[in-house]
Amino acid sequence: MISFEHVSKRYDDGTQAVTDFSLTIASHSLTALVGSSGSGKTTLLRCINRMVEPTSGRILWDGVDIAEANPVHLRRQMGYVMQQSGLLPHRKVIDNVATVLRLTGVDRTAAYRRAREVLNTVGLEPALEQRYPAQLSGGQAQRVGVARALAADPKVLLMDEPFGAVDPIVRRELQREIARLHAELHKTIIFVTHDIDEAFALADQIVILKTGGVIAQVGSPAEILANPADDFVRQFLGLHHGERQLRTEQHGDHTVVLTASGRVAGVLT
C-alpha cells in the first residue's frame, strides 16, 4: 500500500506543482493519475521513488515513511518506465534489461537468465536480445523498458506516460500488454497519463487532477463516468456536449453501438 499524506511540492523557481495531496493506493491495484500539463502527475509519481523530494507531507510504503529509506535502494525496489524508454543506447537489449540486477550484485549468468524470462513475459522474441536500442521499433523499445522495470521483480511499477511517443495502433497493443501483465503478475502499478481513455482502459482507480496537483475526483472508471464530481470533471471527460453518450441500432442479427455523432463504437455480443 502507498499512502500520500498532505504532500506538497514547490520547486525552486516558485512553481507550486502539488498542493496538500492525500491519497491511498491499494496493493496490487492499477491507479492512473490523469491530468493536463501542470497538474502535478509526474511530480507525484517521482515523489514515490524519491526522484523528487516533497516540500512537505510524507509518503508511506506499507506503513514505512520512504523518507527514511536510502533513495538508491528504494529505486531499485521499484520498477520505473518512462515515455522514451530510457534505454542505454550503447548497450544491447539483454544488457539493458539485466542492468538493475547486475547493480544489485546478481551474477551475470543469473541476471541474463532473468532478463530472458522477462523479455519473454513482455512478448519479445529471443532474437531481439542482441540488438541495440536504435535497431528497435518504438513499441519494441517500450516493451524492453517494461522488461527492465520488471527484471528485479519489484512490488511497485511506476509508469510515466510510457506510450505517449508511439503510434495509436502500437499504443493499444501496449495497453493490452500492461493489462495482461497486471492481471498475471499482481504488481501495484501507478500509471501517469493525460489520456482519459487510456486510464479507462487500464485502471482500477482513476485520480483526476487539476492544476497544482489538486484532486478533482477519485474513483473507478464506472463511478467517475456515472457520477462526475463537478463541471471540471464533466468537461475533462468530454460529457459537456454528449460525446460519450451511446445508442444502439439493430442491423440484421447484430446490435451496433453508435456515438452521439452517429459514429460506430462497437458491436454488442
Side-chain angles (χ1 to χ4, degrees), residues 203-267:
D204 306 313
Q205 174 177 250
I206 294 175
V207 184
I208 298 177
L209 298 168
K210 298 181 181 180
T211 301
V214 176
I215 295 177
Q217 189 169 359
V218 179
S220 70
E223 289 168 346
I224 289 175
L225 268 177
N227 298 291
D230 54 26
D231 284 342
F232 174 86
V233 175
R234 279 189 284 273
Q235 187 169 1
F236 193 88
L237 297 178
L239 296 175
H240 265 59
H241 303 292
E243 290 97 331
R244 293 192 180 274
Q245 294 180 2
L246 302 175
R247 58 188 174 86
T248 61
E249 287 185 0
Q250 198 67 31
H251 290 264
D253 296 331
H254 300 286
T255 302
V256 178
V257 181
L258 305 174
T259 66
S261 62
R263 294 186 175 185
V264 174
V267 177

Side-chain angles (χ1 to χ4, degrees), residues 48-82:
I48 296 172
N49 65 1
R50 295 189 61 187
M51 292 177 68
V52 172
E53 297 286 356
T55 306
S56 61
R58 64 178 189 163
I59 300 171
L60 306 180
W61 183 17
D62 289 342
V64 178
D65 191 340
I66 65 168
E68 300 173 4
N70 178 286
V72 174
H73 180 64
L74 180 71
R75 289 168 200 150
R76 289 176 182 173
Q77 296 180 76
M78 296 183 176
Y80 184 65
V81 186
M82 61 191 75

Side-chain angles (χ1 to χ4, degrees), residues 135-149:
Q135 298 172 304
L136 303 175
S137 69
Q140 288 170 339
Q142 287 305 103
R143 286 175 186 258
V144 174
V146 173
R148 182 178 61 182

Side-chain angles (χ1 to χ4, degrees), residues 35-57:
S36 55
S37 297
S39 61
K41 54 190 185 298
T42 293
T43 295
L44 288 165
L45 188 79
R46 293 181 178 179
C47 282
I48 296 172
N49 65 1
R50 295 189 61 187
M51 292 177 68
V52 172
E53 297 286 356
T55 306
S56 61

